[in-house]
Amino acid sequence: MVKPGGGGAGSAPAVAVLGAGILGVSTAVELLRGGARVTLVTEGHPASGASGRSLSWLNSGGDYPPAYHRLRLAGMDRYRTLLSENPGIDWLRFDGGVYWSADGAAAPPAERYEHQRNQAYDARLVPAAEVPALVPGLDPAALPPVVLFNPGEGWVSLPHLIRHLLHEFAFRGGTLITGAGNTGVVVDGGTAVGLRSAAGETYPADVVLVAGGAGTPAILDRLGYQLGDRSDLAMLVVTEPKAHGLKAVLNTPRVSLRPHPGSRLAMDHTWYLDQITPDGDGGWSVDPQVAQDLVDEASSLLAGHPRLMPQSWRIGLKPVPGDGLPVLGEISGLPGCYMAFTHSGATLGLIAGELLAAEILAGRRHPVLAPFRPDRLLTARNPDLPARRGAPAP
């Protein structure tokens, strides 16, 4: 039987974090900054899940509930602070975002503009001929008559950010466990007390955080909880190095696109998802021509229409909660077990880690997270399951 890590009054709490995507790594670093002892356990390697295939557009321009909008703005603010402290990095930028929709789409630029202006979100409607002066690298002839430009938006490469944070994680004495396989939460007496890897290695803790991306619902299912879940497929394509001149993020009817370190471009969309098929070993396959077609869509928008070639593409599930809003905080029926599950992992990556760590360290709920508590989407499938009575969830 695994016992708690031994933290108590006046001693550093032991925290076990499951998942080395941006939410897990960010929270782990914030916990170390606050004096906790942290073990970070990941099924494969850091950023091998959704964080490694995210377009990572930093924004709050959608039709979001007010509390979610404020949280996203706070998330963008933390990235600006990080950039000001590391001005030379090439994996985080705030050079704006450009948006336009297909004819007849639900949110044409003018409607989106009005919504954003009503929230005091920096937004401008720009004629195509004036776009190159604001957004270098675009071909104005490839644009609709008017586009929406958001000067305050940006992008981040999450694998680069995770590597950056893991340097601090190691410096502060955190323990990183990679290749742990199918890891679960250990429960004793109705309380989360650690993690157990696929090989049976146990990592005792006073508090556990489950940040397993799209795998989080399965982890909770083994604990007797059903989590509202709309996770779906995504594919991120990264090009070979090529001079392109683009600085902003683009969100267009056929391609969403941003710069990527090393003179590359990263892009995704949804029109090709029905062409992705399971490959029989838990992964996914797609015809390489689909990746080429996507980068051709990107080339058609860029000044000079450079010949782009896909260098890599990554396919997998992106985590999407059942109601679309983040799920952040402690599970009320399972003391000591916190969770982080959200589609907006990039925009919220730093702020969510900060607020979750604050809750864990202080033992008090943060008011900003009140609308995003797990209980709204969690159903106890069977309160009398063995895992709920104290047996470990494998």
Side-chain angles (χ1 to χ4, degrees):
M1 185 76 65
V2 174
K3 299 297 182 184
S11 65
V15 183
V17 177
L18 176 51
I22 185 55
L23 294 173
V25 172
S26 171
T27 308
V29 170
E30 290 286 352
L31 287 165
L32 288 168
R33 291 171 180 170
R37 294 173 288 128
V38 181
T39 301
L40 178 60
V41 182
T42 182
E43 178 180 8
H45 57 82
S48 60
S51 291
R53 50 180 182 265
S54 170
L55 188 70
S56 307
W57 170 32
L58 305 178
N59 77 96
S60 190
D63 186 12
Y64 303 121
Y68 187 26
H69 177 61
R70 290 192 295 270
L71 184 62
R72 294 178 70 101
L73 291 178
M76 295 168 68
D77 173 76
R78 298 307 191 271
Y79 278 108
R80 291 192 180 94
T81 299
L82 177 64
L83 184 58
S84 71
E85 295 170 346
N86 301 272
I89 57 179
D90 64 353
W91 43 263
L92 171 62
R93 299 295 304 169
F94 281 95
D95 293 311
V98 177
Y99 169 91
W100 70 89
S101 56
D103 291 342
E111 289 184 14
R112 191 175 173 96
Y113 168 81
E114 288 299 326
H115 170 75
Q116 292 176 355
R117 295 295 292 173
N118 288 339
Q119 293 186 307
Y121 192 76
D122 197 356
R124 306 173 191 176
L125 289 176
V126 182
E130 299 176 15
V131 168
L134 294 173
V135 187
L138 286 179
D139 177 5
L143 308 181
V146 176
V147 302
L148 177 62
F149 177 55
N150 298 113
E153 295 181 351
W155 62 271
V156 61
S157 170
L158 290 180
H160 288 78
L161 171 58
I162 286 169
R163 285 197 291 271
H164 174 82
L165 292 173
L166 284 176
H167 284 300
E168 181 177 352
F169 179 85
F171 176 78
R172 292 183 178 273
T175 300
L176 175 63
I177 307 297
T178 61
N182 192 6
T183 300
V185 178
V186 179
V187 178
D188 185 10
T191 299
V193 296
L195 299 175
R196 178 169 294 163
S197 72
E201 294 290 333
T202 56
Y203 305 100
D206 302 304
V207 176
V208 169
L209 170 67
V210 176
T216 297
I219 296 168
L220 296 179
D221 183 73
R222 298 198 298 273
L223 294 169
Y225 287 99
Q226 181 177 350
L227 175 65
D229 178 29
R230 292 194 288 115
S231 297
D232 56 8
L233 275 175
M235 180 177 79
L236 184 77
V237 177
V238 176
T239 68
E240 294 181 352
K242 186 77 172 184
H244 54 74
L246 183 69
K247 293 185 177 180
V249 182
L250 308 184
N251 284 275
T252 83
R254 292 288 293 178
V255 63
S256 295
L257 173 67
R258 64 159 168 84
H260 191 73
S263 298
R264 294 172 172 84
L265 292 162
M267 62 199 73
D268 70 4
H269 213 272
T270 59
W271 55 261
Y272 48 76
L273 294 182
D274 61 355
Q275 301 179 58
I276 297 173
T277 58
D279 60 15
D281 62 357
W284 306 88
S285 298
V286 70
D287 187 330
Q289 185 60 45
V290 173
Q292 184 63 60
D293 290 346
L294 183 64
V295 301
D296 289 346
E297 295 280 357
S299 176
S300 71
L301 303 178
L302 301 179
H305 307 291
R307 176 59 174 162
L308 302 175
M309 298 296 293
Q311 184 174 68
S312 65
W313 52 91
R314 299 185 64 181
I315 306 171
L317 292 175
K318 58 183 178 183
V320 183
D323 62 3
L325 300 178
V327 184
L328 302 167
E330 188 175 22
I331 299 171
S332 63
L334 186 55
C337 187
Y338 288 72
M339 63 174 293
F341 181 65
T342 178
H343 176 45
S344 50
T347 300
L348 301 186
L350 298 180
I351 188 63
E354 176 185 319
L355 297 179
L356 286 168
E359 288 201 348
I360 292 169
L361 292 168
R364 296 191 303 273
R365 291 188 166 194
H366 197 289
V368 170
L369 295 184
F372 311 113
R373 297 291 167 197
D375 293 353
R376 75 180 196 279
L377 286 182
L378 279 179
T379 302
R381 190 180 66 246
N382 182 353
D384 296 322
L385 282 176
R388 299 284 290 117
R389 293 202 304 266

